[in-house]
Amino acid sequence: MNILVFVKRVPDTESRIRIQHETRTIAEDGLNFVISPYDEYAVEEALKLAEAHGGEVTILSMGPEKTGETIRKALSMGADKGVHVVDPALHGSDALVTSAVLAKALGTVEWDLVLLGVESTDARMSVLPAMLAERLGAPQLTLASSVEVDGTTVRVKRLTEAGYDTVEGSTPAVVGVVEKINEPRYPSFKGIMAAKKKPVTTLTLAELGLSADAAGTAGSWSAVVDFTPAPPRQAGTVVKDEGDGGAKIAEFLAGRKFI
Amino acid sequence: MAEILVLVEHTDGDVKKVTTELLTLARRLGEPSAVFFGPGFDAARDRLAEYGAAKVYVAEGGDYADYVVAPRSELMAKLVADAAPAAVLIASTPEGKEVAARLAVRAGSGIITDAVDVDADLVAQQSAFGGAVVVRSKVTRGVPVITVRPNSTAPEAAAGAAERVDVTVELSDGARSAKVVDRTAAERTGRPELSEASIVVSGGRGVGSAENFAIIEELADALGAAVGASRAATDAGWYPHQFQVGQTGKTVSPQLYIASGISGAIQHRAGMQTSKTIVVVNKDPDAPIFELADYGVVGDLNTVVPQLTTEIRKRKG
């Protein structure tokens, strides 16, 4: 089975994020970048499926040169090879562009499953798995809290408000996994060393048959109008409990008409 | 007047609160046309009329429920092509975003997610970096598809005709590629759904155990609130993951958020920072969450919370 996992390089949410208002971007110096945590679950799930059913796991990512490091991190978990779409024109791409580029990149490889995390911890749009399914005309097996493969049938538990639905589709399929679907493995020292030698193919937009103006900020179909710090919250009242803390809160709530 | 499509969220015709919010918002932007995937329209009609739907496009048929998302987005893409609305509003639920995502691709439209407001020029307001930054964005191509967060608009009634218009679409082969073969209902808590609730009562590491979450639940029940939990609490197995509020969990923006035994690391704050009123109980006076509090008590939640619950019950009579 050929399993592809799309990963995104994102700032570590534990880092302090500094916003550069002039350029409407975040200051990257001093920031620690990681594989988007949701995508780690996707990498782990892919590795487990490959272990159970045989096959190869390929890590696919899109981004600047440094995204290569993110791909190596996923390779050190045990994936077999990587595909890195790198092109300066991609900077500022929205989800519509990203899904179009990914769909094209998937056209360059054989694949049975493409796995992704449900959303990235930076943009948090949660739209990429569905967009990819639409562009590829492949079964949308998303919001998955478990994944089973039975020959060419893929069965997932799709989280719903009421509980979950059991959903089936045939390969090739798009699988979007939710958090805590598994416990991502830590790369071993051996894995980290081995990752250095694993092949990573790079692709530019031209090699994918896409023009620069279909990508990046220019190719995106929405634009930021402005970007302002939120008005600061007015400082509240903090009191020490002297046996009356609960009663005081009740009084506050009554004052605000909650009770 | 510009037509604004609003996708209706409902269970067997019981229209959800978020739809009344979106209809209210749609009325400021143009004339709302609700989009209802049936069955259940007869039960829903009055409520849709009450909140101003001028028209309701009704699509009935098993395919919309039996196959994942695509049939709905294909029908909506057809509506966008035929009716040429000024915008499409969809609730920012996990599935709503997927419908919006596929619709945007199919209709050749830009998409904005998690808007908390949309103005008359269709500029959407979003909250970024855990509430620290307000971003305003606009779709630049096609009919804007905008997903709107629950609890961001106060619903206002204003009568509409809710005229029924039946619609159909010829589905693509791909639309039926992901089939729902079974449905499993989780145990109902009887409490409001977390991302839609107007009051959320959460517990964190300070709660100490699964059993002790009972005091959080009792406070929630006294207020008719939903229960939330921090990552520390769900990781420890004290409360189910589906109630986690935070960076990797649900984002909520209720009228009132009461956090007990939660320190307020960025992980958690990102999920609740835009709540309108925040009350905090924590025994650590240096807990970062106090920076967000409109009212905070430094004390032991094991005495403060039950006392609060008792007071609320007394006042409610």
Side-chain angles (χ1 to χ4, degrees), chain B:
Chain B
M1 209 195 183
E3 194 174 350
I4 309 286
L5 297 185
V6 173
L7 174 58
V8 177
E9 297 277 325
H10 70 97
T11 308
D12 300 323
D14 184 11
V15 173
K16 299 203 172 164
K17 178 168 173 270
V18 66
T19 298
T20 65
E21 295 172 21
L22 263 57
L23 284 171
T24 302
L25 179 57
R27 286 194 331 256
R28 294 180 207 157
L29 309 176
E31 197 174 69
S33 295
V35 181
F36 186 93
F37 289 97
F41 174 69
D42 291 332
R45 201 206 155 273
D46 285 349
R47 200 143 156 82
L48 296 175
E50 192 188 339
Y51 285 89
K55 230 188 283 187
V56 185
Y57 294 110
V58 179
E60 286 179 341
D63 286 353
Y64 299 112
D66 293 345
Y67 297 96
V68 173
V69 175
R72 279 173 280 161
S73 44
E74 289 191 11
L75 179 95
M76 291 190 73
K78 180 160 188 277
L79 280 178
V80 166
D82 293 347
V88 181
L89 301 183
I90 297 178
S92 243
T93 62
E95 193 162 81
K97 287 199 231 187
E98 293 189 326
V99 174
R102 295 189 75 137
L103 169 60
V105 172
R106 218 169 166 79
S109 283
I111 175 173
I112 289 172
T113 56
D114 291 322
V116 296
D117 197 9
V118 183
D119 73 15
D121 295 324
L122 300 177
V123 173
Q125 186 172 309
Q126 299 160 292
S127 180
F129 296 111
V133 177
V134 171
V135 184
R136 293 195 319 135
S137 309
K138 202 175 154 72
V139 161
T140 53
R141 184 148 22 145
V143 172
V145 175
I146 303 174
T147 76
V148 182
R149 286 235 207 120
N151 272 318
S152 42
T153 311
E156 281 164 29
E163 184 208 330
R164 177 178 179 147
V165 177
D166 284 275
V167 289
T168 56
V169 67
E170 184 136 341
L171 293 175
S172 72
D173 295 331
R176 295 194 189 91
S177 57
K179 188 168 171 39
V180 178
V181 299
D182 194 21
R183 285 195 172 87
T184 307
E187 241 178 73
R188 311 243 67 191
T189 60
R191 296 192 182 99
E193 212 270 299
L194 187 53
S195 22
E196 295 203 336
S198 358
I199 306 180
V200 174
V201 173
S202 286
R205 194 188 295 280
V207 175
S209 69
E211 295 73 42
N212 210 29
F213 253 87
I215 67 176
I216 302 295
E217 288 183 330
E218 273 165 36
L219 174 56
D221 291 341
L223 288 165
V227 175
S230 72
R231 186 173 187 161
T234 61
D235 276 356
W238 298 340
Y239 220 69
H241 179 61
Q242 72 213 72
F243 299 100
Q244 182 173 314
V245 171
Q247 185 86 46
T248 53
K250 296 200 159 74
T251 297
V252 299
S253 193
Q255 299 302 315
L256 172 63
Y257 190 88
I258 304 182
S260 302
I262 295 176
S263 63
I266 292 186
Q267 155 67 236
H268 189 73
R269 285 161 68 145
M272 46 65 68
Q273 197 146 342
T274 58
S275 306
K276 321 298 185 289
T277 299
I278 297 174
V279 170
V280 170
V281 180
N282 197 300
K283 64 179 185 211
D284 175 7
D286 296 324
I289 198 166
F290 280 114
E291 288 161 33
L292 293 181
D294 292 291
Y295 198 84
V297 170
V298 179
D300 183 355
L301 62 89
N302 290 295
T303 49
V304 175
V305 171
Q307 189 185 72
L308 171 58
T309 304
T310 307
E311 281 299 311
I312 291 169
R313 292 214 172 103
K314 251 197 261 176
R315 284 170 188 259
K316 282 193 165 183

Side-chain angles (χ1 to χ4, degrees), chain A residues 140-217:
Chain A
Q140 179 189 320
L141 304 176
T142 55
L143 301 176
S145 63
S146 87
V147 185
E148 275 168 30
V149 173
D150 193 353
T152 56
T153 301
V154 185
R155 187 175 307 117
V156 303
K157 285 187 179 165
R158 173 184 170 79
L159 293 185
T160 63
E161 217 180 87
Y164 67 87
D165 287 349
T166 305
V167 179
E168 278 180 9
S170 303
T171 58
V174 174
V175 177
V177 302
V178 298
E179 196 197 16
K180 306 235 173 131
I181 184 179
N182 54 43
E183 186 83 46
R185 63 197 68 182
Y186 286 107
S188 63
F189 179 71
K190 204 166 148 211
I192 297 169
M193 289 294 114
K196 295 178 199 241
K197 300 198 201 93
K198 290 177 179 173
V200 177
T201 314
T202 53
L203 288 170
T204 60
L205 283 177
E207 283 164 334
L208 288 177
L210 287 169
S211 77
D213 41 76
T217 328

Side-chain angles (χ1 to χ4, degrees), chain A residues 10-17 31-38 120-124, chain B residues 129-130 231 246-248 265-268 270:
Chain A
V10 296
D12 183 353
T13 55
E14 297 300 312
S15 330
R16 253 197 73 219
I17 306 243
L31 269 188
N32 192 29
F33 280 86
V34 295
I35 302 176
S36 173
Y38 289 104
S120 62
T121 50
D122 54 358
R124 304 200 74 185
Chain B
F129 296 111
R231 186 173 187 161
Q247 185 86 46
T248 53
I266 292 186
Q267 155 67 236
H268 189 73

